[in-house]
Amino acid sequence: MYIIFLGAPGAGKGTQAAYVAQKLNLVHIASGDLLRQAIEQGTELGMQARSYMEKGVLVPDPISIPMVLERISAPECEPGVIFDGFPRNLQQAEALDKALAQQAKAIDKVVYIKVCEEELIKRLSGRWICRNCQMPYHTINSPPKVWGKCDKCGGELYQRPDDTAEAVKKRLEVYFAQTAPLIDYYSQAGKLLEIDGEGGVDEVGKRIVAALHGERICS
Ligand code: AMP
């Protein structure tokens, strides 16, 4: 089973992808998390990716595509994967289709979480993330019980350097120019499930599970 979570930065892909991955027992692969880990570990890949990420633009395909394809070839990914943040342009989508086809596999469904631009900016500007487990919080919508600490694991909360007003603007521009065309790509392939992403985390989660249930993917 291979499911892609598609949507703008701030649409809630990370939270919902983690929830569905757990529910379906699939591996959650977030390309942004893989890149941030590489930066934290000071690897060659991390050093190459850092400046792009700080500016809010896409890390070049020759870095991002092999990184994700290598990750999905791990034995633990055999039962299937939930992709979060990948693919982000047509070249990545085609590379993923090709790599899966070589193993007689294919993307099953694409969950597209739709949220209006005004709401995206509001969400990203108040976002705090756990440094340890990546759980997201929001100063107004979903504050932690103890300020600065993750409710789930007690890890330290931080604001991503690319959640500054300038980087957020750039990331949204990049999304609309390069990633949004994937909505048509997967719609034409008959794989798109469009979900209204406005509202609370649980409410949106229920909509996604209901849609996957309708496709006989989720019970
Ligand atoms: P995210 O955590 O998904 O919001 O991604 C944060 C940043 O990582 C993006 O703004 C890009 O710079 C980079 N990134 C994440 N996924 C990709 C990808 N599939 N292709 C290129 N760059 C990516």
Side-chain angles (χ1 to χ4, degrees), residues 97-136:
D97 281 347
K98 200 169 146 200
L100 291 176
Q102 277 166 1
Q103 300 172 48
K105 292 173 176 165
I107 295 297
D108 294 281
K109 280 288 159 199
V110 177
V111 174
Y112 162 46
I113 308 181
K114 191 173 176 182
V115 174
C116 75
E117 195 171 345
E118 195 189 338
E119 174 69 16
L120 293 171
I121 294 171
K122 230 191 283 168
R123 287 188 189 178
L124 290 169
S125 53
R127 184 160 80 167
W128 288 75
I129 303 201
C130 173
R131 213 177 267 290
N132 182 43
C133 73
Q134 322 306 323
M135 177 83 182

Side-chain angles (χ1 to χ4, degrees), residues 146-202:
V146 178
W147 184 245
K149 274 202 167 181
C150 177
D151 294 350
K152 238 172 84 184
C153 74
E156 177 206 4
L157 303 187
Y158 80 111
Q159 272 197 305
R160 277 173 42 173
D162 59 351
D163 277 348
T164 59
E166 201 185 333
V168 163
K169 193 167 158 257
K170 186 74 206 165
R171 284 162 65 207
L172 288 174
E173 264 172 45
V174 168
Y175 169 77
F176 288 112
Q178 300 186 46
T179 311
L182 294 180
I183 299 166
D184 268 356
Y185 178 82
Y186 289 116
S187 169
Q188 277 164 24
K191 296 186 174 174
L192 200 77
L193 282 178
E194 183 173 315
I195 306 291
D196 174 5
E198 312 262 345
V201 171
D202 293 347

